[in-house]
Amino acid sequence: MEQTIRRALPVDPPPRLLMGPGPITVDPRVLRAMSAQLLGQYDPAMTAYMNETMALYRSVFRTENQHTFLVDGTSRAGIEAALVSLLSPGDRVLVPVFGRFGHLLREIAERCGAEVHVREVPWGEVFSLEQLEEAVREVRPKLVAMVQGDTSTTMNQPLAGVGDVCHRHGALLYVDVTASLGGNPFEMDAWGVDAVTAGLQKCLSGPSGSAPISLSARAVDVIDARRSTEAGLRADPDSEEGLAPRAARIRSNYFDLAMVMDYWGEQRLNHHTEATTMLYCARECARLLLEEGLDEAVARHALHGSAMLAGVQGLGLKVFGDLAHKMNNVVAVWIPESVDGDAVRAAMLGDYGIEIGTSFGPLAGKTWRIGTMGYNARKDAVLVTLAALEQVLRAAGASVPVGGGVQAAQEVYA
Ligand SMILES: Cc1ncc(COP(=O)(O)O)c(C=O)c1O
């Protein structure tokens, strides 16, 4: 034990360019924000940061929703908080699945005790509005829960009109935008989304560990009906009487969004101890994105995503999925039969310090996923990755056109 402690050197990770489906290399400005000293939970400087963070994420999500804040934890924490707070046991939920993260929504909804109805399209495709409307009409759910960009397939589900369909049939719409936010258009209010959750580790140039969330007034009504208050918090214990929820109590304490909203709201009612460093981080990620401009950030992801797509095609590689619906920030590439996919990834990492991603489920071992997102949606990152991939593929015995990747990407930039 003592020896281990003596041998543990200060953290000094090797230099890497993270070009997978996320996490990606963090913007140095975000790292600097994370090294700032902590504040007490009720310090006016801290509550001012909390309020600013809420305002920043209203702009990021393009919403007027008052209840826009952070859930402490990775993106999955945001998903779990939204679903466990919105879904009571027995509630009907429709989950349109077009990849791994749709299955995750299904699983979490099942754990909430909901009656889950799944509709699926093959990996590499998305749903049409008509397909979604038909499913909503058949299932009559309380909630439709879906992913916008599913990194497992690289597909970006069109969402315009989906909120209207849900509301016409009395359902709420929840969307997971972890992988797509900042790199692809997202319009919470214009699209009628009632609950949205995200993460920082993709197009927002941060690490994972904080999940921005926003809730419409409709979603807040559902959650409010389930509101309960922990005993021992209020100065007057009698005031705790009558605080039993009107509907089924939320089955998680940590992810009870009614309590988390009280903590972020005017009352500042104690719940968890805010993860201050992650709040600094989330605030800086939003500042960076808004300083650049949301439309400009989406255009940057579209440009570098197109260059990467052209580049891998220029290397003679085939691309997975319906390109008309590909996310701007990631591409899935079929691994040529003649090469060992894991050995190529290992050589990219070992010789060039570049990480590209593997895949899940039906695509495991068949495709690599290459990201161009957040801080790494940059020309130099794209060109260096393509140049390295060419060398590694050739060394692995694949026949690839000399300079074909870099040249095709440069043509996109020309
Ligand atoms: C669409 C989507 N949802 C959820 C997650 C889970 O995020 P986390 O690993 O931060 O919990 C990911 C991670 O890649 C994702 O791409």
Side-chain angles (χ1 to χ4, degrees):
M1 177 69 180
E2 231 171 76
Q3 260 197 345
T4 314
I5 294 170
R6 245 184 280 126
R7 253 192 270 120
L9 298 171
V11 172
D12 185 19
R16 295 282 191 245
L17 181 61
L18 301 183
M19 298 298 283
I24 50 93
T25 319
V26 170
D27 190 304
R29 266 178 58 180
V30 176
L31 292 177
R32 281 199 291 277
M34 290 176 75
S35 65
Q37 186 52 275
L38 299 198
L39 290 164
Q41 277 194 284
Y42 300 104
D43 186 316
M46 176 68 177
T47 49
Y49 280 150
M50 291 173 81
N51 290 346
E52 284 166 14
T53 304
M54 294 171 87
L56 288 165
Y57 276 94
R58 281 183 202 112
S59 298
V60 169
F61 287 128
R62 290 202 157 137
T63 182
E64 300 287 322
N65 291 334
Q66 170 62 26
H67 293 288
T68 304
F69 49 96
L70 305 175
V71 173
D72 290 348
T74 69
S75 315
R76 195 178 283 244
I79 300 172
E80 200 137 6
L83 294 187
V84 79
S85 298
L86 287 168
L87 290 174
S88 298
D91 279 347
R92 264 199 311 280
V93 55
L94 170 68
V95 186
V97 173
F98 58 99
R100 178 202 163 176
F101 291 103
H103 284 298
L104 176 65
L105 300 185
R106 183 244 298 253
E107 200 220 275
I108 293 175
E110 281 169 0
R111 287 175 187 251
C112 297
E115 181 188 312
V116 183
H117 296 255
V118 171
R119 294 290 184 277
E120 282 188 69
V121 290
W123 285 36
E125 295 178 19
V126 294
F127 290 87
S128 68
L129 192 58
E130 292 69 35
Q131 282 172 311
L132 291 173
E133 176 145 32
E134 195 184 320
V136 173
R137 218 182 292 115
E138 278 169 18
V139 174
R140 303 219 154 266
K142 169 179 172 185
L143 180 77
V144 175
M146 62 195 305
V147 176
Q148 184 186 26
D150 200 312
T151 28
S152 65
T153 69
T154 76
M155 292 298 107
N156 191 38
Q157 170 65 48
L159 292 173
V162 180
D164 284 348
V165 163
C166 292
H167 299 155
R168 255 203 317 279
H169 296 278
L172 296 175
L173 174 62
Y174 160 78
V175 183
D176 168 15
V177 299
T178 302
S180 46
L181 186 69
N184 306 267
F186 180 73
E187 305 275 345
M188 180 155 200
D189 288 357
W191 293 349
V193 177
D194 293 293
V196 67
T197 63
L200 308 179
Q201 73 270 28
K202 315 270 183 184
C203 305
L204 271 76
S205 302
S208 72
S210 176
I213 185 169
S214 184
L215 302 167
S216 73
R218 283 190 190 90
V220 171
D221 282 349
V222 172
I223 294 169
D224 269 345
R226 306 180 69 194
R227 171 179 293 281
S228 59
T229 307
E230 279 176 17
L233 269 184
R234 295 176 191 260
D236 171 10
D238 292 341
S239 72
E240 284 165 5
E241 275 176 27
L243 290 177
R246 283 177 280 132
R249 183 155 84 151
I250 296 168
R251 287 189 163 190
S252 165
N253 175 297
Y254 190 69
F255 293 135
D256 183 325
L257 288 180
M259 290 188 189
V260 182
M261 286 191 291
D262 284 347
Y263 174 58
W264 280 80
E266 296 279 292
Q267 297 190 55
R268 304 271 176 216
L269 208 55
N270 186 264
H271 183 245
H272 59 287
T273 308
E274 183 52 23
T276 310
T277 303
M278 287 312 299
L279 177 127
Y280 296 160
C281 169
R283 182 177 173 282
E284 192 64 12
C285 289
R287 253 166 47 83
L288 277 171
L289 187 60
L290 297 171
E291 198 175 277
E292 178 178 8
L294 282 179
D295 295 337
E296 289 75 7
V298 169
R300 174 169 56 88
H301 283 87
L303 173 67
H304 299 295
S306 301
M308 183 62 86
L309 171 64
V312 292
Q313 288 172 328
L315 286 172
L317 301 171
K318 298 265 175 296
V319 172
F320 170 79
D322 168 11
L323 291 186
H325 292 107
K326 192 183 85 56
M327 292 156 74
N328 286 331
N329 48 311
V330 60
V331 61
V333 181
W334 287 108
I335 300 170
E337 284 201 351
S338 60
V339 305
D340 173 340
D342 286 343
V344 165
R345 288 177 54 245
M348 288 288 286
L349 193 68
D351 290 347
Y352 297 91
I354 299 175
E355 181 177 279
I356 62 169
T358 178
S359 296
F360 305 119
L363 298 179
K366 295 185 182 152
T367 62
W368 296 304
R369 290 175 305 150
I370 306 179
T372 40
M373 51 181 104
Y375 184 62
N376 288 346
R378 294 194 319 264
K379 185 174 176 180
D380 60 294
V382 169
L383 296 181
V384 163
T385 302
L386 289 168
L389 188 58
E390 177 188 334
Q391 296 304 321
V392 170
L393 283 172
R394 187 165 304 113
S399 119
V400 281
V402 177
V406 170
Q407 189 186 331
Q410 287 285 24
E411 280 165 17
V412 172
Y413 290 125

